[in-house]
């Protein structure tokens, strides 16, 4: 950094023309010598003081103007940089790259930056030291190494604002082809950025997913193994305990089976994510079917389950019936499970008139609701607001992830609205099929 700052100071000094006092100060030695010679001439050579003074003035003026010319003869630094800048073709080539690319000269001053680089580093200026903008010690150290002789360096660069993005930066010396073996020649260097953010995100998701899935499987498995040991040992001859333990074991095994089913259906849906299902499915019938299936559960929890259909009573969408059954099963089951304290769950199907293009199903509960910070994360796999509470209710945290994937595959929209204490509304909107099932 210190080195770069010094270079910059030198640049500024060279760009400016020296003032008259500065020129005189620079030439004080010859001027003093000249003055001494003329004074000696007047004192000892009895020369005419007036003529001597005139002679001194003329010689001094010539000296000063010579100094000025000397500065002018050296081309201004800005022009000096131009020959090192890139040819239009190279610039066009770099502009065509999708990733940020920066070219610097041997003093680490920016010679060129393509559009992606300019949008990544908006304060980047041609002619300025790279360090003015890119305040990443690792990258600057690598740049220094490359300018000092290392042919290539790869470093990580993490941009934290406005959102975290990570890059792999390759810094390479641009040695002239005519002098390929001349290691000392470091006319310029390139910085090529490769965005590694998506890769990192996927890697992160994969690790999380494996950790979550194994954890979810291990918990019931540990309990199963524990009960097996108890049944083989202390409870071997205890008929009552055996019955009780077997019931718990069957419940745990069922939970594992359900988790595996959920995981498999998630991956199946993902596999076909880009293929929109096309069978005609009648939505009101699907929702009614789920309400009938879940009414015993609602009764058990003293929840009143209602259905209201606004508009026509037969609405057909292009879809996959089994998948749509799963969507409404999940949403209505969640509303009963987590919103039971509200005492009622209202399902409404909105489809305004024969010609409406869209149908929306709202599932509303009057339970505790969900705080805003959790809402955007509900559709993440294994995400649960209260892990222990959800697990007690037999949840795996995959329900809403499946819902979102199915809705996406149907080109629909999924929306959650909730504020703590006021219950929650989960809505699914889908386009209505052009053709309809005959009545
Ligand atoms: N209606 C609701 N009211 C309050 N919280 C809810 C509601 N619906 C879902 N949640 C919260 O969202 C979390 C995720 O729900 P999701 O359906 O994905 O998983 P789950 O119900 O725990 O498990 P699964 O659906 O696989 O049985 C739940 O654990 C719960 O904390
Ligand atoms: Mg659920």
């Amino acid at each position: 950094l210190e080195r770069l700052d010094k270079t910059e100071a030198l640049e500024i000094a060279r760009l400016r023309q020296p003032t008259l006092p500065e020129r005189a100060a620079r030439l004080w030695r010859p001027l003093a010598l000249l003055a001494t010679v003329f004074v000696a001439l007047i004192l000892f050579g009895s020369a005419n003081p007036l003529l001597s003074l005139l002679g001194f003035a003329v010689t001094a003026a010539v000296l000063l103007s010579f100094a000025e010319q000397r500065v002018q003869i050296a081309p201004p630094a800005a022009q000096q940089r131009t020959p090192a800048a890139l040819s239009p073709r190279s610039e066009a080539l770099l502009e065509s790259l999708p990733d940020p690319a920066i070219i610097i000269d041997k003093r680490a001053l920016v010679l060129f930056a393509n559009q992606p680089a300019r949008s990544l580093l908006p304060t980047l200026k041609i002619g300025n030291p790279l360090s003015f903008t890119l305040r990443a010690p690792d990258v600057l150290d690598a740049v220094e190494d490359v300018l000092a002789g290392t042919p290539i360096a790869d470093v990580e660069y993490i941009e934290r604002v406005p959102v975290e993005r990570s890059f792999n930066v390759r810094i390479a010396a641009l040695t002239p082809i005519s002098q390929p073996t001349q290691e000392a020649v470091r006319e310029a260097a390139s910085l090529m950025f490769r965005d590694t953010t998506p890769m990192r995100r996927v890697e992160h998701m994969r690790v999380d997913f494996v950790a979550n899935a194994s954890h979810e499987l291990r918990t019931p498995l540990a309990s199963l193994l524990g009960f097996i040991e108890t049944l083989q040992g202390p409870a071997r001859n205890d008929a009552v305990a055996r019955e009780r333990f077997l019931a718990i074991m069957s419940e745990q095994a069922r939970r594992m089976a359900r988790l595996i089913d959920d995981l498999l259906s998630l991956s199946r849906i993902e596999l076909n994510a880009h293929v929109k299902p096309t069978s005609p499915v009648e939505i009101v019938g699907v929702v009614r079917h789920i309400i009938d299936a879940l009414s015993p559960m609602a009764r058990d929890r003293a929840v009143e389950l209602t259905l209201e259909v606004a508009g026509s009573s037969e609405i057909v969408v292009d879809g996959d019936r089994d998948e749509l059954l799963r969507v409404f099963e999940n949403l209505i089951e969640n509303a009963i499970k987590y919103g039971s304290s509200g005492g009622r769950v209202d399902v409404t199907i909105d489809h305004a008139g024969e010609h409406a293009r869209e149908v929306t199903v709202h599932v509303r509960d009057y339970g505790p609701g969900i705080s805003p910070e959790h809402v955007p994360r509900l559709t993440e796999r294994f995400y649960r607001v209260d892990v222990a509470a959800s697990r007690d209710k037999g949840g795996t945290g995959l329900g809403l992830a499946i819902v979102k994937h199915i809705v996406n595959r149907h080109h629909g929209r999924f929306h959650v609205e909730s504020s703590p204490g006021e219950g929650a509304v989960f809505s699914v909107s889908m386009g209505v099929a052009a053709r309809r099932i005959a009545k």
Side-chain angles (χ1 to χ4, degrees):
L1 277 175
E2 201 189 354
R3 194 172 65 77
L4 291 175
D5 288 347
K6 270 189 206 148
T7 327
E8 177 67 6
L10 225 99
E11 284 296 317
I12 291 164
R14 236 189 295 170
L15 279 166
R16 199 162 56 77
Q17 291 291 331
T19 59
L20 192 67
E22 273 173 350
R23 264 178 261 152
R26 197 181 298 169
L27 291 173
W28 74 271
R29 264 180 248 258
L31 284 175
L33 190 72
L34 204 68
T36 319
V37 169
F38 276 99
V39 169
L41 274 176
I42 296 165
L43 287 182
F44 305 112
S46 57
N48 185 333
L50 223 99
L51 272 176
S52 304
L53 207 65
L54 198 71
F56 172 73
V58 169
T59 329
V62 167
L63 255 175
L64 286 176
S65 70
F66 174 62
E68 188 186 8
Q69 268 176 8
R70 263 210 343 196
V71 172
Q72 279 174 349
I73 285 164
Q79 277 173 27
Q80 251 180 8
R81 236 182 266 132
T82 329
L86 312 182
S87 70
R89 196 167 286 177
S90 319
E91 287 193 359
L93 174 70
L94 290 169
E95 276 300 351
S96 73
L97 295 179
D99 291 325
I102 300 172
I103 306 295
I104 52 171
D105 72 1
K106 57 185 163 198
R107 294 157 299 176
L109 303 177
V110 176
L111 287 179
F112 179 80
N114 67 359
Q115 177 54 46
R118 295 195 297 270
S119 45
L120 175 69
L121 304 164
T123 54
L124 200 73
K125 280 210 177 62
I126 304 299
N128 268 2
L130 186 65
S131 60
F132 278 20
T133 303
L134 198 69
R135 301 205 170 272
D138 287 355
V139 181
L140 294 176
D141 284 351
V143 164
E144 202 159 328
D145 287 349
V146 167
L147 292 175
T150 314
I152 275 180
D154 280 302
V155 273
E156 285 298 309
Y157 168 62
I158 297 185
E159 174 83 10
R160 302 202 184 275
V161 192
V163 282
E164 188 166 307
R165 287 170 75 189
S166 57
F167 292 89
N168 173 278
V169 188
R170 164 157 289 204
I171 303 145
L174 300 180
T175 313
I177 293 170
S178 52
Q179 305 151 310
T181 53
Q182 206 172 328
E183 271 304 309
V185 178
R186 288 279 182 261
E187 283 303 322
S190 64
L191 285 88
M192 301 284 178
F193 292 67
R194 190 162 50 88
D195 195 346
T196 51
T197 323
M199 240 159 58
R200 276 189 177 220
R201 206 174 289 149
V202 169
E203 180 59 16
H204 209 89
M205 270 167 62
R206 195 186 62 80
V207 171
D208 275 2
F209 178 74
V210 172
N212 280 323
S214 23
H215 178 78
E216 289 300 322
L217 284 170
R218 204 164 42 200
T219 317
L221 195 61
S223 122
L224 274 178
L225 288 173
F227 284 120
I228 291 171
E229 266 172 35
T230 319
L231 285 175
Q232 284 172 332
R236 184 187 290 269
N237 300 315
D238 184 341
V240 181
R242 189 166 56 225
E243 279 313 304
R244 220 183 72 221
F245 291 168
L246 281 173
I248 302 173
M249 286 167 73
S250 127
E251 156 76 26
Q252 296 291 347
R254 243 191 284 278
R255 196 175 134 197
M256 286 175 73
R258 221 193 89 177
L259 178 65
I260 291 166
D261 281 350
D262 281 355
L263 286 174
L264 285 177
S265 56
L266 243 184
S267 71
R268 202 178 46 241
I269 297 161
E270 267 183 329
L271 207 64
N272 296 317
H274 53 284
V275 192
K276 187 177 187 286
T278 50
S279 326
V281 181
E282 203 284 301
I283 282 289
V284 181
V286 165
V287 175
R288 262 213 184 96
H289 180 87
I290 295 298
I291 288 183
D292 289 345
L294 288 175
S295 51
M297 180 186 176
R299 239 192 333 269
D300 283 353
R301 294 175 197 227
V303 172
E304 189 189 345
L305 191 52
T306 69
L307 172 67
E308 188 191 319
V309 185
S312 63
S313 59
E314 211 159 75
I315 305 153
V316 179
V317 299
D318 282 331
D320 179 312
R321 187 178 150 86
D322 284 344
E323 287 187 2
L324 292 175
L325 279 168
R326 291 211 65 176
V327 166
F328 299 113
E329 180 190 23
N330 251 305
L331 295 182
I332 299 171
E333 191 190 287
N334 278 355
I336 299 171
K337 269 201 300 196
Y338 304 108
S340 60
S341 59
R344 69 182 281 139
V345 170
D346 296 331
V347 182
T348 25
I349 303 180
D350 271 348
H351 174 63
E354 280 283 301
H355 302 291
R357 298 252 172 105
E358 215 173 52
V359 53
T360 305
V361 181
H362 303 280
V363 180
R364 180 189 298 271
D365 70 69
Y366 301 87
I370 305 154
S371 328
E373 70 269 23
H374 295 296
V375 170
R377 302 198 57 190
L378 290 178
T379 53
E380 285 175 24
R381 287 157 198 217
F382 300 111
Y383 190 83
R384 285 167 288 194
V385 175
D386 181 342
V387 177
S390 155
R391 207 175 275 152
D392 284 350
K393 294 179 165 99
T396 59
L398 288 174
L400 291 177
I402 295 176
V403 166
K404 192 186 150 199
H405 272 92
I406 294 178
V407 173
N408 280 351
R409 187 160 115 80
H410 283 74
H411 297 187
R413 280 175 290 119
F414 177 58
H415 183 72
V416 184
E417 217 173 286
S418 178
S419 36
E422 290 177 21
V425 188
F426 289 74
S427 315
V428 172
S429 304
M430 269 184 295
V432 174
R435 61 198 139 77
R436 295 163 169 276
I437 292 178
K439 288 204 175 172

